[in-house]
Amino acid sequence: MNISKLIIGIVFGIIAQIIIFFQLQGQMKYDWFKNNYWLVVLMGIPASMFFMYSVKNMVITYGGQMWPSRLIGFSLGAIVFTYFSWYLFNEPMSTKTIICLILSFTILVIQLFFK
């Protein structure tokens, strides 16, 4: 397992998820996102590039297998979304949200540490 490629894949995946969070939810909190529609649309270009590099590095790490990158990406997305919706929008952490977050961490741990 190429740990440096995995770390790069995870970091790029987190960056992409953050960009997408602001692209999709930013308009609910910040007027800039409401008033600059096409600039917000263009945020999808760097986000796509980060996702592509993330997946590429994770697929290399897992010897060509695609499922680990998909499941890691899903888990990172759920974790990033939960954090930013709680931090920026003061969304409460319901029992359902906490259970889903635990499941996301569990999927992440399984993908990273189980063979």
Side-chain angles (χ1 to χ4, degrees):
M1 179 180 290
N2 189 333
I3 298 298
S4 63
K5 292 242 182 243
L6 178 61
I7 292 169
I8 290 168
I10 289 172
V11 169
F12 283 177
I14 291 170
I15 292 168
Q17 293 290 352
I18 291 169
I19 293 169
I20 294 301
F21 180 87
F22 282 100
Q23 184 187 33
L24 300 178
Q25 276 71 40
Q27 63 184 324
M28 309 305 171
K29 183 160 181 84
Y30 303 108
D31 286 336
W32 185 89
F33 287 88
K34 280 186 212 172
N35 300 331
N36 294 285
Y37 179 81
W38 287 107
L39 291 175
V40 173
V41 168
L42 291 174
M43 290 171 65
I45 294 171
S48 294
M49 292 172 69
F50 278 113
F51 277 129
M52 289 169 64
Y53 289 127
S54 173
V55 169
K56 177 183 176 181
N57 281 284
M58 285 193 268
V59 168
I60 289 169
T61 297
Y62 287 97
Q65 295 180 20
M66 292 185 288
W67 268 111
S69 70
R70 179 66 187 115
L71 294 170
I72 291 169
F74 164 79
S75 298
L76 294 176
I79 293 164
V80 166
F81 186 90
T82 301
Y83 172 75
F84 279 108
S85 62
W86 168 78
Y87 182 74
L88 294 174
F89 292 94
N90 298 317
E91 293 240 354
M93 295 289 277
S94 67
T95 303
K96 180 172 69 171
T97 302
I98 292 169
I99 290 170
C100 289
L101 192 58
I102 291 168
L103 289 170
S104 292
F105 275 111
T106 303
I107 290 169
L108 190 58
V109 167
I110 289 169
Q111 291 303 310
L112 294 177
F113 299 111
F114 285 72
K115 298 224 177 213

